[in-house]
């Protein structure tokens, strides 16, 4: 993450709309609008929670920002990160490094289990504890985070 001026948001999404091309009977195309005219600006160092019922578009918003929507998706609006447009190439470069998603499913983060053991359980190659600590270091998480529960992180 680079230094950002006080007035410029780190992530600025303006007039975002996401729709999907669907086919109905007779092979007619239909555009299903899922997110319409959404704007959000997030300043560096701030935490923003996107809250809504299942199916309300929270994950689609994240997927649009990360550039990981399916091929039948149409995205309109502007997205800027650290002052520059989020092009497809820039999304790929930032994905998993400066911008990432923590899935909402309890299959990913068990609220009753500490984060460290959960991450270690997912390791498929190498020493689980070493790999978990390497991942935490990559995301600048302190060593003691492994003893926290998801809601504490």
């Amino acid at each position: 993450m680079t230094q950002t001026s006080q007035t410029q948001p780190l992530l600025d999404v303006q007039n975002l709309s996401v729709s999907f091309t669907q086919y109905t009977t007779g092979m007619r195309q239909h555009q299903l609008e899922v997110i319409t005219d959404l704007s959000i600006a997030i300043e560096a160092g701030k935490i923003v929670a996107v809250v809504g019922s299942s199916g309300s578009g929270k994950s689609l918003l994240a997927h649009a920002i990360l550039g990981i929507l399916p091929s039948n998706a149409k995205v309109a609006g502007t997205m800027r990160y650290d002052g520059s447009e989020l092009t497809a190439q820039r999304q790929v470069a930032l994905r998993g490094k400066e911008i990432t998603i923590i899935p909402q499913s309890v299959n990913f983060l068990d609220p009753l289990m500490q984060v460290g053991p959960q991450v270690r359980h997912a390791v498929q190659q190498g020493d689980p504890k070493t790999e978990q600590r390497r991942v935490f270091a990559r995301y600048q998480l302190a060593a003691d985070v492994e003893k926290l529960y998801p809601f504490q992180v």
Side-chain angles (χ1 to χ4, degrees), residues 62-137:
H63 291 176
I65 292 167
L66 290 167
I68 57 173
L69 290 169
S71 60
N72 68 326
K74 179 181 175 189
V75 178
T78 60
M79 293 184 286
R80 300 179 70 76
Y81 177 76
D82 202 15
S84 298
E85 183 181 355
L86 264 180
T87 62
Q89 296 82 6
R90 192 145 187 256
Q91 286 170 319
V92 169
L94 295 170
R95 190 180 310 138
K97 296 171 184 70
E98 292 192 39
I99 301 176
T100 192
I101 182 173
I102 299 173
Q104 65 188 10
S105 172
V106 293
N107 294 333
F108 295 101
L109 291 175
D110 182 342
L112 302 176
M113 187 176 181
Q114 293 173 327
V115 174
Q118 288 188 69
V119 173
R120 289 193 292 272
H121 182 71
V123 172
Q124 296 183 11
Q125 293 181 344
D127 175 59
K129 195 161 207 161
T130 302
E131 290 302 309
Q132 173 252 303
R133 289 182 176 165
R134 183 185 62 76
V135 168
F136 280 26

Side-chain angles (χ1 to χ4, degrees), residues 8-100:
Q8 176 181 305
L10 180 61
L11 178 64
D12 191 19
V13 177
Q14 295 298 315
N15 307 98
L16 178 72
S17 294
V18 177
S19 61
F20 294 93
T21 302
Q22 294 184 322
Y23 289 91
T24 60
T25 55
M27 295 300 290
R28 292 189 184 110
Q29 284 189 358
H30 169 72
Q31 285 299 118
L32 175 65
E33 289 207 13
V34 183
I35 297 176
T36 306
D37 199 30
L38 181 139
S39 295
I40 187 169
I42 304 170
E43 297 174 23
K46 300 293 182 181
I47 296 172
V48 174
V50 179
V51 179
S53 61
S54 181
S56 64
K58 302 176 302 290
S59 294
L60 284 176
L61 169 60
H63 291 176
I65 292 167
L66 290 167
I68 57 173
L69 290 169
S71 60
N72 68 326
K74 179 181 175 189
V75 178
T78 60
M79 293 184 286
R80 300 179 70 76
Y81 177 76
D82 202 15
S84 298
E85 183 181 355
L86 264 180
T87 62
Q89 296 82 6
R90 192 145 187 256
Q91 286 170 319
V92 169
L94 295 170
R95 190 180 310 138
K97 296 171 184 70
E98 292 192 39
I99 301 176
T100 192

